[in-house]
Amino acid sequence: MRSLFTYDRMGAHHVTPFLMLDYAGPKDFTPATKPRGVGAHPHRGFETVTLVYEGEVEHRDSTGNGGIIGPGDVQWMTAGNGIVHEEFHSPAFTERGGRFEVVQLWVNLAATNKSVPPGYQSLKAAEIPRVELAEGAGQLAVIAGEYAGASGPAQTFSPINVWDLRLNQGGSTTLGVPEGHTTMIVVLSGAVQLNGTEIARDAELALFERAGREIRIEANNAAKLLVLTGEPIDEPVVGYGPFVMNSSEEIEDSMRRFQAGQFQAEQVDTAS
């Protein structure tokens, strides 16, 4: 697992409305009898977005939601006022093993939305529209937001774009991005030149100025990128582990509520 950015390391005001991004893999797993993953744990005040590139992930949470996602699928979980969930390799993937590559993004919620009921969206690859880029440069999948008339299936609380961008070797494109948005490009594989100057390679992140409406991307070889843009949330960010709120008092309240069992409308079975 590689943490490519966090709000405390880079400054919440620079990356808002995003909070952090972890990149797991690519890694080859041998067959096993017990699923690998993260057991039951709480969240409050933000959303987690899990994108699977290879392998399979099984999600279960305290609201009774859950599911398995594979390559090209996305799980979008709203922690809201408090949730407990767990994430493991699926039973089938555990049994057969194989290549595993997953990204998890945390998206902040504005104060008015931090108390919404928890929710879960399972976005299958077939639901996610794909835009063919000009001159055979590659393809862009719209997970959230819009691009070239295509709208992503994810429902979001603030204006954001999450685009899965694949560029062919030698491909180049100019992306239109909203003026004033925080904009980041995560290079998962390959090497690209950005705006004719900077080079970004495997597991590197580029953060752009908010002024401007276009980004030029040129791929030296086949490249896999994640493009993130979002309208900044101009509010205090106070985090403690799995809780991200607006004040220390709200963090303390989150801890009390979790310890009192108030996040668990339905207990997650941690024995399996």
Side-chain angles (χ1 to χ4, degrees):
M1 180 74 74
R2 289 171 283 184
S3 180
L4 300 192
F5 77 86
T6 64
Y7 65 94
D8 51 353
R9 189 173 74 223
M10 294 185 66
H13 61 289
H14 290 307
V15 299
T16 178
F18 308 108
L19 293 169
M20 59 173 281
L21 185 142
D22 286 339
Y23 182 29
K27 179 178 173 60
D28 292 309
F29 285 90
T30 58
T33 57
K34 184 177 180 180
R36 303 171 176 93
V38 182
H41 59 284
H43 289 301
R44 186 187 181 196
F46 60 98
E47 301 184 286
T48 68
V49 182
T50 305
L51 300 85
V52 174
Y53 292 92
E54 296 190 77
E56 287 184 342
V57 173
E58 182 175 18
H59 166 101
R60 290 190 294 170
D61 66 43
S62 53
T63 70
N65 284 317
I68 294 174
I69 58 170
D73 300 337
V74 177
Q75 288 176 341
W76 198 295
M77 187 190 78
T78 303
N81 202 33
I83 198 169
V84 177
H85 78 139
E86 61 182 32
E87 301 160 294
F88 285 93
H89 290 171
S90 72
F93 182 79
T94 298
E95 183 177 354
R96 71 175 180 265
R99 177 62 62 95
F100 188 78
E101 183 181 7
V102 169
V103 163
Q104 186 168 94
L105 170 71
W106 288 15
V107 181
N108 199 14
L109 291 171
T112 54
N113 296 317
K114 287 187 180 293
S115 59
V116 299
Y120 175 79
Q121 302 173 68
S122 180
L123 312 175
K124 296 298 186 178
E127 304 173 56
I128 299 171
R130 286 163 171 76
V131 176
E132 295 295 332
L133 302 177
E135 299 180 356
Q139 187 181 78
L140 185 149
V142 186
I143 297 166
E146 297 184 353
Y147 187 79
S151 297
Q155 298 179 18
T156 67
F157 285 88
S158 63
I160 68 172
N161 293 294
V162 178
W163 301 332
D164 173 8
L165 174 62
R166 312 296 176 96
L167 289 177
N168 299 323
Q169 183 174 2
S172 62
T173 189
T174 299
L175 296 181
V177 297
E179 179 83 24
H181 271 211
T182 298
T183 299
M184 291 183 270
I185 291 180
V186 182
V187 181
L188 301 177
S189 65
V192 295
Q193 186 176 57
L194 302 171
N195 289 338
T197 55
E198 301 294 329
I199 301 292
R201 298 180 174 85
D202 294 5
E204 290 187 343
L205 167 78
L207 174 64
F208 294 83
E209 296 286 345
R210 292 191 179 117
R213 294 179 178 271
E214 291 185 341
I215 297 173
R216 181 70 177 170
I217 309 172
E218 301 169 78
N220 295 328
N221 45 26
K224 179 167 57 183
L225 315 172
L226 185 62
V227 182
L228 308 172
T229 91
E231 184 176 274
I233 297 173
D234 186 20
E235 295 176 355
V237 175
V238 178
Y240 183 82
F243 309 130
V244 181
M245 304 300 290
N246 298 109
S247 68
S248 298
E249 291 77 15
E250 289 174 325
I251 294 293
E252 293 169 4
D253 176 68
S254 300
M255 296 173 67
R256 284 193 299 267
R257 291 184 59 245
F258 170 63
Q259 291 164 358
Q262 295 177 16
F263 285 10
Q264 298 189 258
E266 178 178 314
Q267 178 71 39
V268 171
D269 180 7
T270 60
S272 60

